[in-house]
Structure formats: structure tokens, C-alpha cells
Amino acid sequence: MKTILGIESSCDETAAAVVSRGTEILSSVVASQIKVHAPFGGVVPELASRKHLESIAPVVEQALEEAGITAGQVDGVAVTRGPGLVGALLVGFSFAKAYALALDVPWVGVNHLLGHIHSVLMSPSPPEFPFAALLVSGGHTSIYKVSSRTDMEVMGQTRDDAAGEAFDKVSKAMGLGYPGGEIISKLADSGDPHKISFPRSWLDKKKFDFSFSGIKTAVGRYMQVHEETWQDEKADIAASFQEAVVEVLATKLINAAKSIGCPRVAVAGGVAANACLRDRVTQLAAKAGMSVHLPDISLCGDNAAMIAAAGYYKLAAGECSPLNMDVFSRVEKM
């Protein structure tokens, strides 16, 4: 078992990648649907499924071509099983099953969140086990104790909106567009993060759950109260909102690592590309005497390289999925 074809279609990116021995990325192709969903301010599941159907075969062919291999040189197939949009997941999942069956190679369904953790483990200097990992994206915000490549324990998770979802909703409310994370981050660069004191939702400070619906509401309320002036404060609103979210994320991650006596932390997921978050985690970790492990920016968003990497270790351990396996929409055991 050496060369794995990875396929990812959990949300609005159709992705395929070829990875050798779980760490060497031979190719990684991502077909984005941002232009399709931007007019709606978020992902429309039906449109996402249709675009996946159009893109899946060309994306896989391009991944093989860029890797310099033929389909016959694929040793195994790994595909995202969930969580995600069921219709979108089924496109990649069904394609992967058929592809593996046609090639007569083993295949395995991979938890999307486990894939994100592997984006950190694919770095040139991966963290030793165990480590505390913050997985933060548009659909998920959780902290895990990662004890091995297949053993992850949830330490805390969001009780309502994910952090990335809050970015998208605030961006939409301000009329900035989609996806909100990148737009707000760029706008925040020219704003004062301390100009507006938005609330921090700490919940139980001894635990590591999150809640971001309150700050989203607080931003909307600020815009209502300052109806005639907020348009001139967009940069300050963006910076202050981002500051409130990042402070909670970074602080809870460091506290979680302290609680298990672990001097290593990692951040993964789409929001891991946020420069403010990367800087804050690095600063707090340095003060606490911890090492920080961050994925390459290209591996923060949804991609198939991380799925292929996670799949490699599953297949190498003898795990192979049956053809009657199905997708799932919500978080399941890794």
C-alpha cells in the first residue's frame, strides 16, 4: 500500500489528490464553487450537489495527471464519508466506491474532521502525540485530545454556530459577501480591534465548549443602534468582531492543553488560515512554553490530500470499508 487517491466533496469544494505513504503530496486539485454560492451568501446544498456531479470526474483525472500516474497505479482510494451535506457527500462517496471496485483496490471512508487533523500531521515537523488540536471551520469548532493518528477525544465543541459560520453570517449582515472569513480578515487589517467591545462567550471557563451565536447577535445589534454611522465603521466592526472570536478560540485551546499537561497545540480547518488566529495561538503558546503546529495554508480549507493521508493509515492498518457503507451528515466517532 503506497499511493492513495483521495476524494473530498463534503460541502462546496470538489477535490481529488494523490498522496504517497501518507505524507508526500503528489497532486492536490480543488474545484471551488464560491462563484456559484456567493449570490446567496452561503452554500445552497442542491446547487453544491449538481456542481459536484459536473466536476468529480474531471477533477480526479486532473489529480492523476498532475501526479504523473495512471489509474492502474492507484493502490487504494480514500473518500470523505461525513460529516457534511448528504447530497454533496454522496457524489464523491459513490464515485469513490465505483472507482475502487473498477480498479479492484481497497477503499475506505474517512471522517472529514480526522482529515483536517492529518493536515497538521503532513507538515515537515508534525507534533508528537498527544497534542491538543483546535479544529475550526465553517461547520465545526471543536477541541480534541489527539493521542494517535486514529484516536481523537472531544474535549469541547460549539453549542451553536461554528466560528467560521459566525464569520459568514456577520459578513452577510454587513453586506460584504461570501465567504465571510477571508473578507472580514482583510477588512480587519485596516480596523481597530479594540474600538468596539463585543462580548466574549466563555461559558464555563473550566470547560472547552464554545458559543458564537451571541457575538453574531451583538454585531447585528450594534448595527441597529448605530444605523446612521456603522457603514463608516466597517473596518473597526470587522476587527473588533474578529478579535472577540480569536481571543476565545486561542485561550480555550491553550487552557485545554494545560488541562491535560500537554505542551503541544495545533490548529486545523478553514479558519486556521486566519492570520490573526495563527498569531494569537503562537503568542499564547510561547508564553505557556508550548510548541505550535499549523498546517500549510493550502491545506487549511477542504482538500483531498488530507483525506488521502488519513485513508492511507486506515488502509495500512487493514481497515477496508464495505460497499454497503453509507455517508453521514453529523459528527460520528472517528
Side-chain angles (χ1 to χ4, degrees):
M1 187 63 59
K2 178 183 177 182
T3 304
I4 304 299
L5 169 66
I7 295 174
E8 152 67 27
S9 67
S10 64
C11 191
D12 60 338
E13 277 96 14
T14 312
V18 178
V19 173
S20 177
R21 301 190 185 281
T23 56
E24 184 185 357
I25 301 174
L26 303 183
S27 67
S28 181
V29 179
V30 179
S32 174
Q33 300 180 9
I34 288 178
K35 291 183 179 179
V36 174
H37 303 288
F40 306 97
V43 178
V44 181
E46 176 63 23
L47 294 180
S49 299
R50 292 181 184 180
K51 291 302 294 183
H52 285 309
L53 283 169
E54 295 174 9
S55 303
I56 186 70
V59 164
V60 169
E61 290 176 6
Q62 184 179 345
L64 293 175
E65 182 179 346
E66 291 186 6
I69 66 170
T70 63
Q73 294 173 287
V74 171
D75 297 316
V77 178
V79 59
T80 302
R81 184 186 172 206
L85 303 174
V86 169
L89 285 164
L90 281 170
V91 175
F93 202 68
S94 301
F95 186 96
K97 281 188 190 182
Y99 208 78
L101 186 63
L103 294 176
D104 193 25
V105 298
W107 74 283
V108 66
V110 173
N111 188 304
H112 181 76
L113 308 185
L114 182 64
H116 274 303
I117 297 299
H118 274 266
S119 70
V120 177
L121 296 171
M122 296 174 77
S123 65
S125 301
E128 295 180 5
F129 299 108
F131 60 91
L134 171 66
L135 198 164
V136 56
S137 66
H140 312 282
T141 301
S142 308
I143 294 178
Y144 295 92
K145 177 184 177 182
V146 183
S147 299
S148 73
R149 289 185 178 273
T150 56
D151 183 10
M152 295 167 51
E153 175 187 349
V154 178
M155 299 182 68
Q157 56 192 339
T158 183
R159 296 183 182 179
D160 41 59
D161 292 349
E165 182 182 1
F167 271 89
D168 285 340
K169 288 181 176 179
V170 167
S171 178
K172 183 176 182 179
M174 294 174 66
L176 300 176
Y178 174 84
E182 183 177 353
I183 295 171
I184 287 183
S185 179
K186 288 181 179 179
L187 182 59
D189 288 342
S190 58
D192 180 354
H194 306 292
K195 184 68 175 293
I196 306 166
S197 182
F198 288 126
R200 274 70 164 160
S201 180
W202 296 106
L203 301 176
D204 185 340
K205 281 202 170 186
K206 294 181 180 179
K207 296 183 179 180
F208 311 110
D209 284 347
F210 299 95
S211 173
F212 295 106
S213 64
I215 187 171
K216 175 191 66 181
T217 302
V219 173
R221 179 60 179 162
Y222 184 90
M223 291 164 60
Q224 288 179 340
V225 172
H226 301 83
E227 183 177 0
E228 298 181 359
T229 60
W230 77 265
Q231 293 279 1
D232 298 324
E233 302 177 82
K234 283 186 176 181
D236 291 335
I237 293 173
S240 298
F241 162 76
Q242 177 177 261
E243 174 68 18
V245 172
V246 164
E247 182 181 348
V248 173
L249 289 172
T251 301
K252 290 211 171 214
L253 172 60
I254 299 302
N255 289 345
K258 289 179 179 178
S259 75
I260 57 175
C262 181
R264 294 170 291 277
V265 297
V267 185
V271 184
N274 182 282
C276 183
L277 177 61
R278 293 169 82 95
D279 290 344
R280 186 64 52 83
V281 170
T282 300
Q283 292 167 8
L284 293 183
K287 291 181 181 179
M290 299 177 182
S291 62
V292 179
H293 302 271
L294 303 168
D296 186 84
I297 296 295
S298 65
L299 294 177
C300 289
D302 291 349
N303 65 88
M306 66 185 192
I307 302 302
Y312 169 82
Y313 289 98
K314 283 179 169 287
L315 291 169
E319 182 178 343
C320 182
S321 297
L323 286 176
N324 63 355
M325 177 178 277
D326 203 354
V327 300
F328 61 90
S329 61
R330 297 185 181 276
V331 178
E332 285 191 357
K333 181 177 171 57
M334 297 297 176

